[in-house]
Amino acid sequence: MLKIPAPVLRISVVIMTYNRPVTLHRCLESLAFQGLARDCFELVVVDVSADPVTSVLQPFRDGLAIRHEALAPDDVAHVLNFYPRLQGRTA
């Protein structure tokens, strides 16, 4: 009997953060300790903070596939239209 492999589940978790490093750290801890295999999801952190959260992300980079997108906090329209561009579409 021919066995067909199950499709690979690929999930994108998009987190937008604005000047909340402690909350972001707790969120990343939760994602790091959840049960889904690391190769089944990616994490996109859209950072519009005054101070970039690079130092918050660093301890999690070995265990999570993190894509960090730092955007200017004063460009609200750009931020709102960012997610469709992640998907390769225009807003």
Side-chain angles (χ1 to χ4, degrees):
M1 172 181 257
L2 178 63
K3 290 191 176 189
I4 300 172
V8 175
L9 177 63
R10 187 71 173 158
I11 299 170
S12 294
V13 178
V14 179
I15 301 170
M16 295 195 74
T17 184
Y18 177 71
N19 297 335
R20 301 294 298 259
V22 173
T23 303
L24 177 62
H25 188 272
R26 285 192 307 226
C27 180
L28 294 173
E29 280 182 328
S30 294
L31 288 167
F33 289 112
Q34 57 80 36
L36 191 61
R38 301 294 187 262
D39 59 348
C40 291
F41 70 97
E42 67 175 343
L43 178 59
V44 180
V45 177
V46 181
D47 179 14
V48 292
S49 302
D51 295 321
V53 296
T54 308
S55 62
V56 176
L57 300 177
Q58 193 57 41
F60 298 96
R61 288 201 180 269
D62 288 339
L64 296 171
I66 298 175
R67 178 175 162 192
H68 180 211
E69 300 289 341
L71 304 175
D74 58 345
D75 190 1
V76 175
H78 180 76
V79 172
L80 293 174
N81 291 319
F82 185 73
Y83 183 70
R85 284 196 296 278
L86 283 175
Q87 299 294 309
R89 303 178 307 221
T90 57

